[in-house]
Amino acid sequence: METITVDKLPLDEKIILILKKRGIRTLNPPQAEAIKKGLLEGKRLLVTSPTASGKTLIAELGMVNYLLSKGGKAIYITPLRALTNEKYNTFKDWESLGLKIGMSSGDYDTDDSWLENYDIIVTTYEKLDSLWRHKAKWLNDVSYFVLDEFHYLNDPERGPTVESVAIRAKRKGVVLGLSATISNGNEIAKWLNAELVATNWRPVPLKEGIIYPEKKDFIIVYKDNSTRKVYGDDPIIAYTIDIVSKGGQVLVFRSSRKLAESTARKIAQYMNFIKLEDKKLLDIGREIKEVDDAGTNEKEDLYNLIIKGVSYHHAGLSKKLRDIIESSFRERILKVIVATPTLAAGVNLPARAVIIGDIYRYNRKVVGYMDLIPVMDYKQMSGRAGRPGFDENGEAVIVVRSKREAQKVFERYLMSDVEPIESKLGSESAFYSFLISIIASEGEKTERELLEYVKETLLPKELAKKYFKSGLNWLLDHDIFIKIEDKIKLSRFGSRISDLYINPFTAVTIREALEKSEKSCEIAYLHLLAYTPDGPTISVSKSEEEALIDELNCELLVDEPEDEYEFSNYISALKVAFIVYDWINEIDEDTILGKYGIGSGDLRAIIDTMDWLTYSGFHVASVLELKDHKEVLEELHMRVKDGIKPELIELVKVPGIGRARARLLYQHDIKRPEDIVMNPEKVKRLLGPNLGEKIVREAARIIA
């Protein structure tokens, strides 16, 4: 392919200057192909190429050139908040051209009107869906949509929203889809009304292989049939030490947190033979110990690993811990991360080598059953191998138990294409939410007009019509939709649940439980919210199950189900309820983590979700005019975020005051923001002069 230098591009000189500042003089093959297919003319494109092949720059050139030549706004949409932050920081370069970069994620009950002043907005699929539902006026100016990580269409949880957003985006402006390999790229490009740009080019070539035991050692067979041996008692340790001893970094993927942690500890025992940057690792270890949103035991465990150049990484860790681990790996100080597969889909963390330790994972719906991981998941993990600028090759190996198994795995993962992208709107919950989203964002529609949107889904036509009929009836029967003459609209109840961005089954579960019940205990409300489809799920052992039931001393708002799978969700919700109950009664965080066997990241995720669900429950009770339930849920919501008893609610309204500072002030007879303003010296004595001064100012601002 002919090389394209940036000087030859029909771009504003200021754009070319920014590219050169980044060290970009020529475009790589996917970028050159996108230019040839009409990127700079505002053509719709679907770009599929491997990880780290420069797709973000394609989006930047498309957006910036379009905005400078045609005006309007552009939205860059990602599936993950971590990616939203990453892209936002990358795009800040363009502010020197006078373009303002904004970012928004989370908080679904707002239209973010402040974004009207921004030109490029980075957000998540869910947040954009929510903004459309709130009819944010500034969205009328958006005419360029970048759909990042577009293979998330195939994700059972996120896929329905990605598809819903894509359907509306392609009706409203230019669409640029970006993805790793999509095997049915022509079909998906046609659906987007876009031209396909598909390449297999990678900046660092990838060597893929299988590692299996042979006599007392381990042999690696690569895709090109070349082989080599590594020596030791364990394939993961042997291969990791081999790579690290040659100056490389390794990402190891394990199927569970427990395996990730135990594997990291085993590898750490062998790191004494590796030359490490001890002083820098000690500094990182100390930084870990000072993190304030994590448990003491977690920090101690990670410290002991990190000083040996190794760490584990999973969602059970707090965000601050994960950030430190990721940045120290990027800086090449940390040599090995053992992670669960969620890391592969998240932030950009390349390594010389990737080890896929497990090709099976537990099926959450069938107890004791293991599924083979999809080829797409393998591609996501192996795609992290090879650091541009550091490695001549990246290596990805799959661990298997025998030579016989190696052949099957070789065929399935190394020689096969990824699964075709298919619609994930084929469930009642997803499809009904899709219908609500269309009416909320596009306004009232006739049945025929709404069906036109349904026909644009990727679902087979007959299946889409079937879901449409049953969905429409269910939404009308449950007073979410109302029909006036021939127009379908949202009811008052439907409009509120759409704004709250909760699953319609969550809303109906809450409504039915509250309407048939008298005022109940706090645990009962927390259990109800956790038991909805939007509630957090958590594993519960048999002994925990018995203890939870024994500890329960009030009647729950939902009846115990007979179905075994539903009962496990019911008990999971009860554990969540007790965790949150302890949290809002100011039980120490370390005690909660130890008592329930969870990590600080789990606790934060549970709190964030239950903060949203108590807010939603309070608003559902409010719109239904259930005064007693509303009062309990409103107070619970005010307590969940900070983990406080009722008497501290007023104090934590002051920015900078959390549960610990509020309790300290309260114990010294400072109980309201007014007390802070009236006793500035006392506050400074309790909190320290600088922080105290700041808190007094914030309190004064609140009561002004």
Side-chain angles (χ1 to χ4, degrees):
M1 187 180 287
E2 167 197 2
T3 302
I4 298 182
T5 62
V6 296
D7 288 320
K8 288 183 180 175
L9 294 172
L11 291 170
D12 187 294
E13 280 181 24
K14 291 174 187 171
I15 298 177
I16 291 170
L17 196 62
I18 287 172
L19 297 179
K20 287 182 174 177
K21 270 188 186 171
R22 289 186 184 177
I24 299 166
R25 296 283 185 275
T26 59
L27 298 185
N28 68 30
Q31 293 159 353
E33 186 66 16
I35 297 284
K36 273 175 74 176
K37 292 272 178 82
L39 176 74
L40 300 181
E41 287 88 63
K43 294 275 176 67
R44 294 175 171 218
L45 301 176
L46 173 62
V47 180
T48 73
S49 65
T51 305
S53 58
K55 294 189 289 290
T56 303
L57 182 62
I58 292 173
E60 290 177 272
L61 292 177
M63 289 189 297
V64 172
N65 186 62
Y66 188 92
L67 295 182
L68 291 183
S69 58
K70 298 186 179 173
K73 296 182 189 295
I75 288 192
Y76 189 103
I77 318 151
T78 81
L80 303 166
R81 287 192 197 183
L83 282 173
T84 304
N85 285 318
E86 195 178 284
K87 301 304 178 188
Y88 170 75
N89 290 326
T90 301
F91 300 162
K92 292 292 276 181
D93 283 359
W94 302 105
E95 291 196 329
S96 62
L97 302 188
L99 296 172
K100 287 186 76 177
I101 317 298
M103 175 176 69
S104 179
S105 63
D107 191 1
Y108 296 124
D109 196 16
T110 172
D111 67 357
D112 283 358
S113 56
W114 57 276
L115 285 170
E116 69 181 357
N117 300 316
Y118 291 80
D119 304 292
I120 295 175
I121 295 107
V122 191
T123 191
T124 61
Y125 286 97
E126 286 79 9
K127 180 63 179 176
L128 177 55
D129 185 24
S130 167
L131 287 165
W132 266 326
R133 292 180 186 213
H134 280 84
K135 295 188 169 64
K137 285 180 182 169
W138 58 268
L139 279 170
N140 296 329
D141 298 329
V142 177
S143 48
Y144 202 102
F145 298 86
V146 179
L147 310 170
D148 195 14
E149 303 285 339
F150 199 50
H151 49 271
Y152 264 81
L153 264 172
N154 239 18
D155 183 83
E157 288 180 19
R158 322 296 294 279
T161 309
V162 176
E163 187 170 346
S164 176
V165 165
I167 287 167
R168 277 167 289 164
K170 65 182 184 171
R171 280 173 166 244
K172 295 174 187 294
V174 177
V175 170
L176 173 62
L178 306 176
S179 177
T181 309
I182 295 179
S183 58
N184 55 335
N186 282 314
E187 180 193 339
I188 300 302
K190 187 179 176 185
W191 177 69
L192 281 176
N193 304 323
E195 182 113 14
L196 180 64
V197 177
T199 76
N200 290 318
W201 182 86
R202 282 176 52 97
V204 179
L206 177 63
K207 284 184 76 175
E208 297 171 85
I210 308 283
I211 184 169
Y212 61 87
E214 189 176 80
K215 295 177 183 171
K216 290 185 178 180
D217 305 312
F218 299 95
I219 191 158
I220 305 164
V221 179
Y222 293 102
K223 198 172 176 179
D224 62 4
N225 287 321
S226 63
T227 62
R228 74 181 183 96
K229 277 189 176 182
V230 290
Y231 306 94
D233 299 323
D234 178 287
I236 292 175
I237 295 170
Y239 182 80
T240 299
I241 297 302
D242 177 77
I243 295 291
V244 174
S245 64
K246 294 169 183 170
Q249 288 173 286
V250 181
L251 278 177
V252 184
F253 289 106
R254 299 306 316 254
S255 60
S256 72
R257 295 179 186 183
K258 213 171 244 181
L259 279 172
E261 291 178 13
S262 62
T263 303
R265 290 186 195 109
K266 284 178 190 171
I267 292 169
Q269 292 170 15
Y270 290 81
M271 293 295 283
N272 297 333
F273 309 108
I274 306 296
K275 190 174 183 298
L276 298 168
E277 297 182 70
D278 296 333
K279 188 179 178 303
K280 288 182 179 177
L281 287 169
L282 268 172
D283 289 343
I284 294 162
R286 287 191 196 103
E287 202 181 333
I288 288 282
K289 281 193 169 184
E290 287 165 14
V291 164
D292 59 7
D293 69 343
T296 306
N297 292 341
E298 282 175 324
K299 294 190 282 192
E300 191 62 34
D301 195 23
L302 283 169
Y303 174 86
N304 291 328
L305 289 172
I306 281 169
I307 59 174
K308 293 183 176 180
V310 181
S311 181
Y312 53 82
H313 183 294
H314 56 63
L317 298 179
S318 73
K319 185 176 185 305
K320 285 181 187 171
L321 289 177
R322 293 194 309 254
D323 286 347
I324 293 169
I325 291 162
E326 289 164 16
S327 63
S328 53
F329 191 80
R330 271 195 208 97
E331 289 161 18
R332 304 176 71 211
I333 302 162
L334 204 58
K335 300 301 176 189
V336 182
I337 290 180
V338 189
T340 50
T342 47
L343 181 67
V347 289
N348 181 26
L349 267 193
R352 180 177 299 177
V354 166
I355 303 172
I356 292 100
D358 314 276
I359 51 166
Y360 290 92
R361 76 169 59 128
Y362 282 102
N363 183 312
R364 286 169 61 194
K365 294 196 175 181
V366 186
V367 179
Y369 187 74
M370 304 278 278
D371 290 327
L372 277 165
I373 64 169
V375 179
M376 176 61 88
D377 286 18
Y378 162 71
K379 295 284 186 191
Q380 283 289 308
M381 290 186 273
S382 62
R384 300 285 161 205
R387 300 161 304 176
F390 294 110
D391 300 319
E392 287 182 20
N393 289 292
E395 279 198 24
V397 298
I398 301 173
V399 179
V400 296
R401 286 165 297 188
S402 66
K403 188 174 183 178
R404 203 171 80 176
E405 189 187 5
Q407 191 54 44
K408 290 179 187 172
V409 173
F410 196 93
E411 290 295 326
R412 176 178 169 85
Y413 292 105
L414 274 61
M415 305 307 290
S416 301
D417 214 334
V418 296
E419 298 80 8
I421 299 267
E422 294 173 339
S423 177
K424 292 295 179 282
L425 280 168
S427 75
E428 290 174 339
S429 174
F431 196 87
Y432 298 2
S433 293
F434 167 69
L435 292 178
I436 290 169
S437 182
I438 297 300
I439 295 294
S441 55
E442 305 300 322
E444 59 182 42
K445 299 280 174 213
T446 63
E447 203 168 314
R448 181 174 286 184
E449 287 168 340
L450 187 54
L451 185 59
E452 288 305 308
Y453 282 87
V454 171
K455 285 177 182 173
E456 287 189 46
T457 69
L458 277 165
L459 281 171
K461 294 289 179 275
E462 287 311 307
L463 188 61
K465 282 181 186 175
K466 181 184 158 193
Y467 272 114
F468 176 63
K469 194 170 182 182
S470 66
L472 202 52
N473 290 336
W474 189 89
L475 292 162
L476 286 163
D477 289 347
H478 288 83
D479 188 38
I480 292 169
F481 280 175
I482 51 174
K483 203 167 186 178
I484 298 173
E485 294 174 354
D486 67 335
K487 296 282 189 181
I488 296 158
K489 301 170 69 169
L490 283 171
S491 68
R492 187 163 165 260
F493 175 61
S495 182
R496 196 69 197 99
I497 67 172
S498 172
D499 284 349
L500 292 166
Y501 207 68
I502 53 175
N503 185 310
F505 289 95
T506 291
V508 169
T509 301
I510 294 170
R511 181 177 67 189
E512 289 176 352
L514 296 183
E515 284 183 337
K516 74 177 175 63
S517 307
E518 296 296 314
K519 188 172 175 178
S520 190
C521 66
E522 290 171 347
I523 284 283
Y525 288 100
L526 294 170
H527 175 261
L528 164 64
L529 297 170
Y531 185 53
T532 63
D534 287 315
T537 54
I538 195 163
S539 60
V540 185
S541 67
K542 199 70 191 164
S543 61
E544 274 187 307
E545 183 183 309
E546 289 162 6
L548 289 165
I549 291 167
D550 287 345
E551 204 176 330
L552 190 62
N553 58 8
C554 73
E555 198 171 326
L556 296 176
L557 293 165
V558 279
D559 298 327
E560 189 177 302
E562 291 179 14
D563 177 78
E564 190 183 342
Y565 176 66
E566 268 311 304
F567 181 73
S568 72
N569 288 337
Y570 186 86
I571 288 295
S572 163
L574 189 56
K575 182 173 175 179
V576 169
F578 273 109
I579 289 168
V580 179
Y581 182 76
D582 282 359
W583 171 251
I584 63 174
N585 282 291
E586 299 181 39
I587 302 297
D588 174 71
E589 187 168 328
D590 276 342
T591 305
I592 295 173
L593 301 185
K595 179 179 174 183
Y596 296 102
I598 59 174
S600 54
D602 298 317
L603 180 60
R604 180 44 58 194
I606 287 168
I607 290 162
D608 286 349
T609 304
M610 293 300 283
D611 179 41
W612 167 51
L613 285 172
T614 49
Y615 176 82
S616 299
F618 148 60
H619 279 280
V620 167
S622 186
V623 81
L624 296 172
E625 297 178 0
L626 301 169
K627 185 172 176 289
D628 287 351
H629 293 308
K630 176 195 159 201
E631 285 171 1
V632 179
L633 286 161
E634 184 175 20
E635 186 179 277
L636 277 174
H637 171 61
M638 290 191 283
R639 293 171 61 196
V640 166
K641 189 176 182 185
D642 292 288
I644 52 166
K645 291 179 180 176
E647 65 265 26
L648 299 187
I649 288 171
E650 289 304 310
L651 279 175
V652 296
K653 288 178 181 175
V654 179
I657 296 182
R659 66 194 320 227
R661 287 170 187 161
R663 181 53 63 193
L664 176 66
L665 292 169
Y666 194 88
Q667 284 167 344
H668 288 82
D669 215 30
I670 292 172
K671 300 180 177 180
R672 301 171 305 148
E674 288 85 351
D675 297 336
I676 293 173
V677 175
M678 297 294 288
N679 298 277
E681 294 311 312
K682 190 175 181 182
V683 171
K684 285 187 233 178
R685 196 167 64 249
L686 289 167
L687 301 180
N690 293 338
L691 178 61
E693 180 68 42
K694 188 181 172 194
I695 296 291
V696 171
R697 279 203 310 270
E698 291 288 1
R701 188 174 58 80
I702 280 178
I703 63 175

